[in-house]
Amino acid sequence: LNYITPAKVAEAAKLVKSGKVFNMALDLQPNTPGWVGRTFRHTFDYILPQLDPAGGAGACDDAIEMHLQYSTQWDGLPHFMFSGKMYNGYDGNTVIKPNGTQKNSIHLWADKVVSRGVLLDVAKYKGLDNLERGYIITPADIEGTLKAQGVEVTSGDILLFRTGWINKLREHGWPMRGNEPYEFGEPGLGLQACKWLKEKQVAALAFDNLAVEAIPFDPEGVEKVNDIGFKGFPVHVELLVWQGCPIGEIWDFEELAKDCAEDGVYEFFLAAPPLRVLGAVGSVLSPQIGRASCRERV
């Protein structure tokens, strides 16, 4: 997120021209697509449509109990560690306390995740409704999609990858249990693509699947680290632990993708701050996009 400078934000704000706004969050309700074990509960503390029997004002109050990484979310940097260490070498056994992490808390991003966003509709580029289970997105896929869309990636961008998998998740039914997410699988990012993103100084990225990366996992990553006991989520380790790159999961790009395809504009102003929960390692969010109207043509 250090790549998102004040100049970058000012540049991104100029992309709002038509006033169209798109929200990419799923509704917060029970049985929304999400990882096994993450729960949501919404209750009302009181419902008093009329406080005074004689008439006048009424009120009600409600509460939620939920995992911070339920539904549409950011994964914070302490969400994953390697050999006990999180991004910047902090020891998880030392800095993770019962009341939250003492380093790399996601609340520090609250005024950071505002930048130029770029949608990469990889599924459309491949001529598919959705990429297949286990499909690993490569640098060639990214470059081919960008070329087809006539857009370039610049330092500080937030990239949104459409695989079409959100529709498969909706069709499946919830909640998943046990090893079902691994059995169900999904298309996603591979390690070579992560290295491409690092070279381009991408600030953050988000996907319309459960875990950003492909499941089954990229064999390159699994093979690379198995000898020291790590058997899964190599992309999470690469992005969160080694690169310090935020990753968003379970975003909905369907409405946005249709609008982008209509006018050929795949860049926009994106605001996606997490909740200011001190010491949190992840956060639900409600990301918003302000769209340009149409591509300027000669």
Side-chain angles (χ1 to χ4, degrees):
L1 297 179
N2 293 319
Y3 296 131
I4 301 178
T5 64
K8 182 72 180 183
V9 177
E11 175 192 338
K14 296 176 183 177
L15 296 174
V16 181
K17 298 177 181 177
S18 69
K20 287 184 178 180
V21 177
F22 293 86
N23 184 283
M24 296 169 290
L26 302 186
D27 292 334
L28 284 175
Q29 60 183 337
N31 299 326
T32 293
W35 204 258
V36 166
R38 292 175 181 165
T39 59
F40 173 87
R41 183 169 177 260
H42 181 202
T43 59
F44 277 80
D45 290 342
Y46 61 85
I47 305 174
L48 297 171
Q50 187 170 301
L51 293 172
D52 185 343
C60 60
D61 204 356
D62 55 350
I64 57 174
E65 179 182 346
M66 63 182 295
H67 283 81
L68 281 173
Q69 287 164 279
Y70 180 88
S71 189
T72 306
Q73 62 179 274
W74 282 123
D75 278 353
L77 302 184
H79 177 53
F80 258 71
M81 285 163 267
F82 192 78
S83 296
K85 302 292 179 66
M86 67 177 72
Y87 180 69
N88 268 341
Y90 298 122
D91 188 335
N93 293 314
T94 302
V95 304
I96 300 290
K97 306 291 185 181
N99 65 335
T101 180
Q102 309 303 300
K103 297 289 185 180
N104 292 337
S105 169
I106 202 168
H107 85 283
L108 298 169
W109 300 358
D111 61 347
K112 304 292 184 186
V113 196
V114 177
S115 189
R116 174 182 183 249
V118 177
L119 177 70
L120 287 86
D121 195 340
V122 184
K124 183 176 184 294
Y125 167 66
K126 292 287 188 179
L128 301 168
D129 291 334
N130 58 266
L131 302 181
E132 296 180 358
R133 171 188 182 273
Y135 184 85
I136 296 173
I137 294 174
T138 66
D141 291 327
I142 297 176
E143 292 174 354
T145 302
L146 291 170
K147 183 177 180 180
Q149 295 177 176
V151 65
E152 295 181 356
V153 171
T154 58
S155 177
D157 286 346
I158 300 174
L159 302 190
L160 312 181
F161 287 80
R162 179 181 175 269
T163 69
W165 203 249
I166 194 70
N167 297 318
K168 287 291 184 180
L169 295 177
R170 285 192 172 105
E171 293 169 3
H172 181 270
W174 297 87
M176 284 188 178
R177 304 184 187 281
N179 289 324
E180 198 172 355
Y182 301 98
E183 297 165 358
F184 190 64
E186 62 182 24
L189 209 61
L191 278 180
Q192 291 301 316
C194 292
K195 297 170 184 176
W196 186 96
L197 297 170
K198 182 178 181 179
E199 291 174 357
K200 294 293 184 179
Q201 298 184 342
V202 169
L205 57 96
F207 267 74
D208 58 351
N209 63 7
L210 290 179
V212 171
E213 56 192 295
I215 301 176
F217 301 117
D218 185 343
E220 177 186 348
V222 174
E223 180 180 333
K224 179 179 178 182
V225 297
N226 259 351
D227 58 337
I228 50 177
F230 188 76
K231 300 185 183 299
F233 296 99
V235 166
H236 272 64
V237 170
E238 173 65 30
L239 293 175
L240 296 177
V241 181
W242 303 136
Q243 294 189 25
C245 179
I247 54 179
E249 298 165 342
I250 324 176
W251 293 32
D252 185 357
F253 305 132
E254 295 306 291
E255 184 181 2
L256 172 66
K258 290 178 183 177
D259 199 72
C260 289
E262 286 177 3
D263 62 13
V265 178
Y266 287 85
E267 61 175 356
F268 32 76
F269 176 82
L270 170 62
L275 299 178
R276 295 185 70 106
V277 181
L278 185 65
V281 303
S283 176
V284 293
L285 75 154
S286 188
Q288 306 283 336
I289 275 177
R291 285 271 283 118
S293 56
C294 61
R295 185 186 304 279
E296 294 182 2
R297 294 183 174 87
V298 177

